[in-house]
Amino acid sequence: ESCLRINASDYYSVSLQRLNANLNKEFEEIENFLSRNIDVKNRSLEMNDLPITPSSSLEEARQIKTERNQIFVSYSHSDKRWLSNLQKMLQPLIRGQEILYWDDTKIKPGSKWREEIQQALESAKVAVLLVSPNFLASNFIAEHELPHLLKAAESEGLTVIWIYVGECRYDLTEIKDYQAAHDISQPLDMLASGKRNKELVKVSKAIEAAMTS
């Protein structure tokens, strides 16, 4: 009997130890669970306290438009002679800083020329078109410059001024909807030097008026 009582006592002692161990393990798991959840909650609160930039503000920043404050001259490289004539006539205004002037001769070697043209298009207040067969034949002008300029003329107040350099089918394009800067009964390339300069003076005055309006 004594032997049986000792074994029973040992059995209950071992059982109690196992119970305590199991309880301690469960309490430990509960503590870990609560600790993890409290930590996650605190982190969530900290994240909520951080300033968040609304997506609408980012969108507004993207939509900020460049100030339109310069002349953009669109021409065919085959008509550089006529570009030079226009530059000479506008030089007094450019030198006196009464107007800001841009054409693609201002693009420096090594520059990202497409980006510079795009920026100049977006900065144009007045677009001057040197209209000729070469101008209308240019795919780059037709696909990249004209659509941008004519859209800005419709919706952003850009002024389109065109010069009739040489006889061509401008009447088949949207250019026909805009008033030329001079008498187009005769293109510039059909005029004598004196009359041509007279017409270019009219052009320069029209550009000046558009830039200062």
Side-chain angles (χ1 to χ4, degrees):
E1 289 181 4
S2 176
C3 181
L4 289 172
R5 282 199 297 271
I6 291 172
N7 289 339
S9 175
D10 289 343
Y11 172 79
Y12 289 125
S13 176
V14 170
S15 297
L16 184 60
Q17 288 175 3
R18 287 179 179 174
L19 178 61
N20 287 335
N22 288 336
L23 288 173
N24 287 335
K25 186 177 180 180
E26 288 181 8
F27 281 128
E28 206 173 304
E29 289 176 354
I30 291 171
E31 278 185 351
N32 289 337
F33 174 81
L34 291 174
S35 176
R36 284 197 302 271
N37 278 274
I38 291 171
D39 186 51
V40 169
K41 184 177 180 181
N42 288 339
R43 287 184 185 178
S44 177
L45 290 172
E46 289 171 5
M47 289 298 292
N48 289 333
D49 290 339
L50 291 174
I52 299 174
T53 303
S55 58
S56 59
S57 298
L58 294 174
E59 199 59 37
E60 289 171 5
R62 292 191 193 102
Q63 293 176 354
I64 293 175
K65 296 186 181 300
T66 305
E67 181 184 2
R68 293 189 173 277
N69 61 358
Q70 68 181 13
I71 298 167
F72 180 96
V73 180
S74 180
Y75 73 104
S76 165
H77 284 186
S78 298
D79 293 328
K80 282 188 176 181
R81 166 195 171 195
W82 299 104
L83 175 69
S84 177
N85 289 338
L86 176 65
Q87 288 172 334
K88 290 174 186 176
M89 194 58 68
L90 293 176
Q91 194 57 45
L93 294 171
I94 297 170
R95 187 183 300 117
Q97 296 184 339
E98 295 178 42
I99 60 172
L100 294 175
Y101 171 94
W102 193 93
D103 64 55
D104 67 4
T105 61
K106 292 185 174 291
I107 300 176
K108 297 178 181 179
S111 300
K112 294 182 178 179
W113 62 273
R114 280 185 180 272
E115 290 183 11
E116 289 206 24
I117 291 175
Q118 185 62 34
Q119 185 176 355
L121 285 167
E122 292 173 358
S123 301
K125 181 177 181 180
V126 175
V128 180
L129 316 180
L130 302 187
V131 181
S132 71
N134 295 319
F135 180 89
L136 296 184
S138 169
N139 288 329
F140 185 83
I141 291 172
E143 294 172 9
H144 298 283
E145 293 185 357
L146 264 184
H148 189 103
L149 293 171
L150 297 180
K151 182 180 178 182
E154 289 292 327
S155 60
E156 298 180 38
L158 176 140
T159 301
V160 174
I161 292 176
W162 65 281
I163 303 170
Y164 199 24
V165 170
E167 199 93 42
C168 61
R169 294 303 307 274
Y170 73 87
D171 57 307
L172 299 178
T173 73
E174 292 174 283
I175 295 171
K176 71 180 186 301
D177 298 327
Y178 295 87
Q179 182 66 40
H182 64 102
D183 180 7
I184 61 172
S185 60
Q186 286 186 309
L188 294 187
D189 64 0
M190 294 180 66
L191 299 176
S193 177
K195 288 186 177 180
R196 185 165 59 242
N197 284 338
K198 186 176 181 179
E199 295 303 305
L200 286 173
V201 167
K202 291 180 183 178
V203 170
S204 70
K205 288 182 178 180
I207 292 171
E208 182 183 18
M211 284 297 295
T212 56
S213 63

